[in-house]
Amino acid sequence: MKKAKVAVLGATGSVGQRFIELLENHEFFEVTHLGASEKSSGRKYSEVMNSRWKVSADIPGYAKNMEIVNCSPEFTPGVDLVFSGLDSDVAGEIEMKYAQAGVMVISNAKNYRMSPDVPILSAEVNPEHLDVIQFQKTPGKIITNSNCTIMGVTISLKPLMDHFGLDSAVIVSMQAISGAGYPGVPTMDILGNVIPFISGEEDKVETEPQKCLGKVSGDKIESADFKISAHCNRVPVLDGHTVNVSVKLKKKATESEIRKAWEDFSGEPQRLKLPLAPEKVIQYREERDRPQPRIDLNAGKGMTTTIGRLRPDPIFDYKYTVLSHNTVRGAAGAAVLNAELIYKKGILEVK
Ligand code: NAP
């Protein structure tokens, strides 16, 4: 099958850099354009990224000499799909322009996540949500992925919901600084510190999982009926969001039944053997002090969700800890996996 031509919008940001890394020599996609703001456009990617490249040994060769362009369809002719790592202040308008121009948009931004005909697609969790994109009014369609904090949480909740039903959960996050973009949180604020506030985050954590775990009903997605209370904290960790979850289930479950539900969990990306699909969607760590971001972050090349410390909760039923890589599984990696899914299923039209 022919490769799809893609642009990365917001290519200079935290998430954009991960896209550049993950799309190197990709089997399905050829990156033809890199977009960013006017202050970066017209300049070579390697020049703009001189002291901003943070993700691996070197900028992939294919991207180094590409000239950054403005994020608008007339500057990225011929693309079949755009990966958006745009700041949410500008993502709404730019992504809509692409959809109106007939281009598929795979977005990391929050702007369209809660629109009823836009899936918050998590490829293993809810591939059936793709059914609603046909009802979007634009010729190009918008597919989002969830907020990075709930990505691993939702993956951990999906097998619990399917086997035992969900009643409610309390979620306490310890979020990495790369989640705030680049340059993000000032050193003076975060070094040796914990900040118990991340603007807008708790609202997203309390609403997005229910949509992600919801059902398609005609032309829209109806959110699942369970409640979440969230506390979100920024901690001095570079990458990897660690989240404590206490959960109340609808049916009784033993620890070994829960462990089995997690261990057995896999989905369409694994069945279709998509390039970025981790072999294990969830890995469970037996050690009493895991998961830890420094040790477990790169499980499954950053695409595996690590869970540990499952134990009874005196108020809810069980409690446990989840770790997922915020810029890989929680952002660019999830978006590339979503794009691989629509490419393989023939939903993406390749010109
Ligand atoms: P970031 O590091 O601040 O990067 C933002 C990007 O947007 C940069 O490439 C920037 O280009 C571009 N941009 C800003 N204003 C623009 C404009 N007017 N026109 C075109 N491009 C513009 O942010 P990030 O952390 O990568 O996050 C990107 C998006 O993903 C956000 O919506 C965020 O909420 C979401 N997200 C982030 C994470 C994470 O862990 N970081 C996880 C999930 C979702 P310049 O460099 O030229 O300014």
Side-chain angles (χ1 to χ4, degrees), residues 37 53 102 147 160 191-192 201 222 227 262 265:
S37 75
W53 182 258
N147 167 277
L160 302 188
L191 209 61
E201 195 76 356
E222 272 176 9
K227 280 200 174 115
W262 281 334
F265 182 56

Side-chain angles (χ1 to χ4, degrees), residues 193-332:
N193 201 14
V194 169
I195 301 172
F197 173 71
I198 302 173
S199 181
E201 195 76 356
E202 288 169 357
D203 287 347
K204 289 183 249 175
V205 173
E206 289 178 354
T207 52
E208 288 183 18
Q210 292 91 329
K211 183 173 177 201
C212 216
L213 294 167
K215 282 204 174 83
V216 173
S217 166
D219 58 357
K220 59 181 184 300
I221 295 157
E222 272 176 9
S223 291
D225 184 20
F226 64 95
K227 280 200 174 115
I228 293 178
S229 169
H231 305 257
C232 294
N233 305 288
R234 186 77 67 196
V235 297
V237 164
L238 189 59
D239 287 316
H241 291 348
T242 308
V243 184
N244 299 138
V245 181
S246 289
V247 65
K248 191 167 167 50
L249 304 169
K250 285 197 170 143
K251 280 200 277 186
K252 286 262 169 278
T254 64
E255 278 183 43
S256 62
E257 285 169 334
I258 291 177
R259 288 276 303 274
K260 183 163 170 21
W262 281 334
E263 299 277 358
D264 291 349
F265 182 56
S266 82
E268 280 207 61
Q270 286 68 35
R271 193 175 54 76
L272 296 171
K273 298 192 182 337
L274 298 177
L276 211 59
E279 207 180 301
K280 282 184 86 59
V281 186
I282 294 172
Q283 71 162 355
Y284 188 85
R285 299 298 316 194
E286 303 287 347
E287 299 89 333
R288 63 182 187 180
D289 59 354
R290 301 273 283 277
Q292 294 179 21
R294 209 155 59 188
I295 307 174
D296 298 306
L297 182 71
N298 291 317
K301 296 187 178 147
M303 291 296 285
T304 291
T305 296
T306 304
I307 306 179
R309 302 210 67 218
L310 176 67
R311 59 215 191 276
D313 182 299
I315 297 172
F316 289 75
D317 290 323
Y318 285 99
K319 51 187 169 180
Y320 57 91
T321 301
V322 188
L323 169 77
S324 85
H325 195 310
N326 56 298
T327 60
V328 182
R329 183 80 222 202

Side-chain angles (χ1 to χ4, degrees), residues 9-16 35-40 48 52 71 84-88 90-91 94 108-111 113 145-148 178-182 204 241 326-327 330-331:
L9 309 179
T12 53
S14 273
V15 174
S37 75
E38 280 188 4
K39 78 173 190 284
S40 309
V48 174
R52 290 179 62 179
C71 295
S84 166
L86 288 167
D87 196 290
S88 58
V90 296
I94 294 174
N108 278 283
K110 67 179 180 187
N111 308 61
R113 282 187 197 142
N145 40 265
S146 74
N147 167 277
C148 44
S178 62
Y182 185 79
K204 289 183 249 175
H241 291 348
N326 56 298
T327 60

